Amino acid sequence: MSLSDLTIRQAKAGETLRKLSDGGGLQLWIKPNGSKLWCLAYRDAAGKQKKYSIGPYPTVTLAEAREKRDEAKRLLLAGHDPVEHFRTDKANKALEKANSEANTFAVIAAELLDKKRREGKASNTIGKREWLYSLAGDAFGKRPVTEISSAEILRILQKVEDKGHLETASRLRAGIGEVFRFAIATGRAANDPTFALRGALAKPKVKHRAAILEPKAFGALLRAIDCFQGQATTVAALKLMALLFPRPGELRQAEWREFDLEAGVWTIPAARMKMRREHRVPLPPQAIAILESLLPISGNQALVFPGTVSVKRPISENTLNTALRRMGYGPDEMTSHGFRATASTMLNESNRFSADAIERALAHQEPNAVRRSYQRSDHWDERVRMAAWWANRIDTMRDGAKVVAFGRV
């Protein structure tokens, strides 16, 4: 006789195992401790008696137990063993879940970051990528990449865009696309949904870093630096920015072991260069004199420009720009990065040096891949002459007017 929910609820446990039949091999086992378990008794193709544990009651209802029984019967008619089938199905679902968890955006983004670290990418670059990935991760980090659509990504980008952060939105799209392309390369995705978003965002206006390009005005800045009443390391760093025009991060993180003052060479390691290539900088006598003046201050430490909080950390990214602001130069007039534009403009306008030598001095990469493969010279001899000429030119511009100690000239 078939069971009913009322019969099952009222069924009591005995001193030994009780078996209540619902027909078709489906049984409800009631153990002495009162627990109830659905079991299916059947014979396989070889006629061997077997048992399939469906699950506990009431977690598995009577209706669900009957569905499992009927499914098992269909499998038997098709020549399949229900226990083996359900075991395999359970394993496949577990594997599918594991694969799904391994294919989430957050997991793949973390793998990509590890790859970048192994490739020796700068910590600053890694940090920016982590931040961008976290913006996307907050929205769909725990989701498999195969489930993330273009429309979903666009909604996230538009939220950033609506705040007026057009450049961040553009970088975020590029960062998300990089994760998807890595997923494609590792066989975990078939397409990059950010490809369809090209042109969907407002283009940010290109903002060139402010720089002084007129010799007389630049001379006034040089005199203001000479008169600046800030930290000696900050003043020295600004002077070296003008003389050597490196990227600000390359200078502020400089270590004494990179400098050969006797030979007049500063060798910046590849790990700190934007293009990941070691870069040599010729040191004119004026630069050597500035560095020698720093030896009593930081010469017994690793960093040339240690911070005020900890000598193990360099001066911050804002130190040089803050000094310029204190001198009266606003962000639309001059930035620490602007020294590069100043040097590039004036060196090119001098018509004394080749464009290739100037580009090598700026540590720029040749944009033409074919030309780059043949052009491997660093134009060292010409750059040594250029460094000496530029240092003397700076002296001329700085000394072109009387030094005034108060305010700007």
Side-chain angles (χ1 to χ4, degrees), residues 273-304:
M273 294 299 299
K274 184 176 181 179
M275 297 305 169
R276 292 296 169 269
R277 291 188 311 226
E278 182 181 272
H279 181 59
R280 293 192 302 161
V281 180
L283 300 174
Q286 292 92 326
I288 293 174
I290 293 170
L291 288 164
E292 287 178 339
S293 72
L294 288 174
L295 284 171
I297 300 174
S298 62
N300 62 339
Q301 298 159 12
L303 294 168
V304 179

Side-chain angles (χ1 to χ4, degrees), residues 127-195:
K128 288 178 180 178
R129 277 290 181 269
E130 284 180 324
W131 176 68
L132 284 174
Y133 295 161
S134 70
L135 292 180
D138 289 342
F140 44 68
K142 296 180 180 179
R143 300 255 311 284
V145 289
T146 53
E147 297 179 2
I148 302 170
S149 67
S150 298
E152 188 174 2
I153 296 172
L154 180 59
R155 286 195 294 272
I156 302 304
L157 299 178
Q158 287 175 332
K159 287 181 180 179
V160 177
E161 190 180 51
D162 290 343
K163 295 177 181 178
H165 303 155
L166 303 187
E167 181 66 28
T168 300
S170 179
R171 290 179 181 275
L172 180 56
R173 186 193 71 81
I176 293 173
E178 190 177 29
V179 173
F180 273 95
R181 289 190 292 278
F182 183 68
I184 293 170
T186 54
R188 288 175 284 182
N191 62 82
D192 173 11
T194 65
F195 183 82

Side-chain angles (χ1 to χ4, degrees), residues 17-276:
L17 178 66
R18 290 185 62 193
K19 297 181 181 181
L20 304 181
S21 178
D22 186 59
L26 181 62
Q27 300 173 340
L28 181 70
W29 290 13
I30 305 175
K31 297 182 179 180
N33 62 5
S35 64
K36 299 172 182 179
L37 178 69
W38 291 111
C39 290
L40 178 66
Y42 69 96
R43 292 185 182 276
D44 62 15
K48 184 178 179 181
Q49 183 73 38
K50 285 191 173 182
K51 182 196 75 170
Y52 167 49
S53 296
I54 297 175
Y57 177 88
T59 302
V60 178
T61 66
L62 173 59
E64 290 170 339
R66 287 171 175 169
E67 287 178 6
K68 281 290 184 181
R69 175 194 61 196
D70 295 342
E71 184 180 357
K73 294 293 185 181
R74 288 191 292 271
L75 288 169
L76 285 168
L77 288 173
H80 301 296
D81 187 307
V83 170
E84 296 300 324
H85 174 84
F86 292 133
R87 183 182 294 127
T88 301
D89 185 58
K90 183 178 180 180
N92 288 337
K93 287 180 178 178
L95 180 60
E96 184 179 335
K97 181 181 178 182
N99 289 336
S100 177
E101 292 173 350
N103 295 341
T104 63
F105 181 89
V107 168
I108 296 174
E111 289 181 16
L112 180 56
L113 284 171
D114 286 340
K115 176 177 175 290
K116 289 181 180 295
R117 291 188 184 95
R118 292 194 300 272
E119 292 172 344
K121 299 296 184 184
S123 58
N124 190 42
T125 300
I126 297 296
K128 288 178 180 178
R129 277 290 181 269
E130 284 180 324
W131 176 68
L132 284 174
Y133 295 161
S134 70
L135 292 180
D138 289 342
F140 44 68
K142 296 180 180 179
R143 300 255 311 284
V145 289
T146 53
E147 297 179 2
I148 302 170
S149 67
S150 298
E152 188 174 2
I153 296 172
L154 180 59
R155 286 195 294 272
I156 302 304
L157 299 178
Q158 287 175 332
K159 287 181 180 179
V160 177
E161 190 180 51
D162 290 343
K163 295 177 181 178
H165 303 155
L166 303 187
E167 181 66 28
T168 300
S170 179
R171 290 179 181 275
L172 180 56
R173 186 193 71 81
I176 293 173
E178 190 177 29
V179 173
F180 273 95
R181 289 190 292 278
F182 183 68
I184 293 170
T186 54
R188 288 175 284 182
N191 62 82
D192 173 11
T194 65
F195 183 82
L197 301 179
R198 292 184 178 181
L201 298 175
K203 291 185 178 180
K205 292 182 179 180
V206 177
K207 292 184 178 180
H208 297 286
R209 294 182 177 93
I212 295 173
L213 306 179
E214 197 275 318
K216 187 174 181 180
F218 191 59
L221 170 61
L222 295 170
R223 292 191 294 276
I225 292 173
D226 273 355
C227 297
F228 182 57
Q229 301 298 311
Q231 294 283 339
T233 50
T234 303
V235 174
L238 287 168
K239 290 181 177 180
L240 289 174
M241 283 299 302
L243 282 165
L244 308 179
F245 46 91
R247 295 179 179 87
E250 295 163 3
L251 181 70
R252 69 183 185 82
Q253 297 179 67
E255 298 185 8
W256 280 110
R257 62 182 178 180
E258 300 167 8
F259 292 89
D260 186 338
L261 299 184
E262 186 175 342
V265 180
W266 173 25
T267 303
I268 308 175
R272 216 166 64 248
M273 294 299 299
K274 184 176 181 179
M275 297 305 169
R276 292 296 169 269

